[in-house]
Amino acid sequence: MKHLIITTITILSVLSAKAEDYAKHYQNLPVELKQVVSFNIPDNTVSIADFGGVGDGVALNTEAFRKAISALSKKGGGKLVVPQGVWLTGPIALKDNIELHVERNAIVLFSPDKSLFLDAEGKSSRCEPGIKASKRKNIAITGEGIIDGNGAQWRPVKRSKVSDVEWKRFVAIGGVERQGGSLWYPWDAKAGYKNIAETPEAQEKRRQDLVRLTDCENILIKGVTFQNSPRFHVHPCNSRNIIIDGITVRCPWNAQNGDAIDLSDCHQALIVNSTVDAGDDGICMKSGKAKPTALVNGCEDILIEDNTVFHAHGGFVIGSEDITGMKRIVVRRCRFSGTDTGLRFKSGIGRGGKTEDIYISDIVMNDITDEAIVFQCDYVDRPAGSKGKTAKKTGSEFVPEFTDIHISNVVCRGTKTAIKAKGIEGMDCIHGIEISNSTIVYTSKGADIDETTASIKLDNVNIVEDKAQ
């Protein structure tokens, strides 16, 4: 009996340890956050090869993925293992209680054949994501392998952002040049894959994310490398209880709309131990208009720590859409090296909402192209090929309000501008901002703050000019 009691206690301890695996990240927080909760996937395991999959980089495995996920689903769920090989495929749809596990020497490569990603029901103006899930529970993408979106087959390229050698490589794919040769679209590919729209511009608008999970609960994304997305890379939307742990996201620095990790209207999320080197925003919070049928709206209870961002338009970003609002977000112990901006808060009339309880601390940066910290209220989205869009200067709907933001213990060596902030005349868009106990070394401008439209309190902030530049 004594042995039985000890064994039972040991088992309970193991189960408890597993359930609280991520609790260690929630120590000494400046604001109380609802913690993420671990979840289990049923103990059923199959290999993609068991369902006719072939990892030779030639065979198309779309049907093998579908069959494997369907078979696991009928058992109540389980783990689908992708072993060594290059697994060419069309879109993959995850179901409840499914873990897609990509082993270290495996590459899941999405086909350059755009027609495979067309929405069969014709309900969406965009193509299907590489990996998708909608209204699902308990889904995971794990392993040490690579998931590659084959994005060069989708993305437009600005001539000003590539070298002569790179430009020749794009032109060799086929394609068409626009705007006097300043813009290239992947059109009429020499590989023979058919176009899926009437014009290059219309086809560009059909680009989709590499991973898009919508209205899902209990998401684990761990260890995998995501690269070369047609658009955003890892994009949970209107979802809850999200763990992103130790992933790598990478794409060319000039990849159009190549966001790395975007949380759009998500609650109860953890992003930790991850590395980003991307073409657009690094780790970004977004919030669109409220959707009555969505699982959640707005961004709340989010912890982001111990991450590294190399190239990105911003290391940590809020916006450009923050309509439904941001509450209780903590960002700490992150490093940004080589980003365009460090901490970036961007929105505009028609895109804006209110922030509350945002705490950012212990951030180190170097080699920042523009601003270490920037608040912008006149942001305008300018897709490739767009002409002359300007920010709205008036309007009463969806006005940005950046407030109750606390930034401390930032060290930055090497940025053009230390702190920049400009609101909108007659609107209280930037107020209640505190920056403290920080040092920023700049080369061009120190505190570029428009005091008529932005209220920012600086406490023990050392702004130093680098005169050697």
Side-chain angles (χ1 to χ4, degrees), residues 384-405:
S386 64
K387 297 179 181 178
K389 276 192 176 182
T390 57
K392 293 181 180 179
K393 296 183 179 180
T394 60
S396 59
E397 191 174 25
F398 306 129
V399 175
E401 183 182 7
F402 293 121
T403 186
D404 196 16
I405 298 174

Side-chain angles (χ1 to χ4, degrees), residues 192-371:
Y193 298 110
K194 65 181 181 180
N195 303 313
I196 57 171
E198 295 299 317
T199 66
E201 292 81 2
Q203 181 166 279
E204 186 272 335
K205 292 179 180 178
R206 307 201 74 168
R207 285 188 296 147
Q208 185 53 284
D209 304 333
L210 180 54
V211 178
R212 187 181 182 95
L213 311 173
T214 306
D215 291 300
C216 293
E217 187 165 15
N218 302 342
I219 296 169
L220 173 65
I221 304 175
K222 184 173 182 178
V224 179
T225 293
F226 300 89
Q227 64 184 30
N228 292 325
S229 175
R231 192 169 169 263
F232 301 167
H233 287 76
V234 177
H235 193 193
C237 305
N238 301 101
S239 295
R240 179 169 55 209
N241 196 40
I242 303 156
I243 301 167
I244 298 176
D245 180 9
I247 71 169
T248 299
V249 183
R250 59 187 296 270
C251 67
W253 73 269
N254 47 29
Q256 189 74 19
N257 307 117
D259 288 28
I261 303 171
D262 284 6
L263 299 186
S264 291
D265 292 284
C266 290
H267 289 196
Q268 199 178 344
L270 173 67
I271 303 174
V272 64
N273 300 326
S274 294
T275 301
V276 165
D277 193 349
D280 209 309
D281 292 332
I283 300 173
C284 183
M285 307 291 104
K286 298 180 181 293
S287 177
K289 295 180 181 179
K291 300 175 182 176
T293 60
L295 181 65
V296 296
N297 287 287
C299 287
E300 299 182 11
D301 296 308
I302 296 170
L303 176 58
I304 299 165
E305 68 178 21
D306 298 324
N307 301 291
T308 300
V309 182
F310 293 110
H311 185 269
H313 286 186
F316 171 74
V317 181
I318 285 182
S320 62
E321 303 88 0
D322 57 346
I323 293 171
T324 317
M326 309 277 176
K327 297 179 182 179
R328 298 184 301 278
I329 299 175
V330 175
V331 183
R332 60 184 184 178
R333 299 197 305 270
C334 292
R335 53 187 181 174
F336 309 147
S337 182
T339 59
D340 290 352
T341 60
L343 302 172
R344 187 182 189 189
F345 306 85
K346 58 175 181 176
S347 192
I349 293 175
R351 291 173 172 265
K354 186 178 182 180
T355 64
E356 298 176 72
D357 290 341
I358 311 297
Y359 291 86
I360 302 172
S361 64
D362 300 295
I363 307 297
V364 296
M365 316 183 207
N366 80 310
D367 192 22
I368 307 301
T369 304
D370 296 316
E371 302 93 8

Side-chain angles (χ1 to χ4, degrees), residues 153-192:
Q153 301 289 334
W154 294 83
R155 297 188 301 260
V157 177
K158 295 177 180 177
R159 179 65 182 88
S160 60
K161 288 190 172 183
V162 297
S163 67
D164 291 345
V165 172
E166 291 171 306
W167 186 256
K168 288 178 181 178
R169 288 175 182 168
F170 285 115
V171 172
I173 294 174
V176 61
E177 297 179 31
R178 291 284 196 262
Q179 299 183 4
S182 64
L183 187 64
W184 174 88
Y185 288 95
W187 181 258
D188 287 340
K190 291 181 180 178

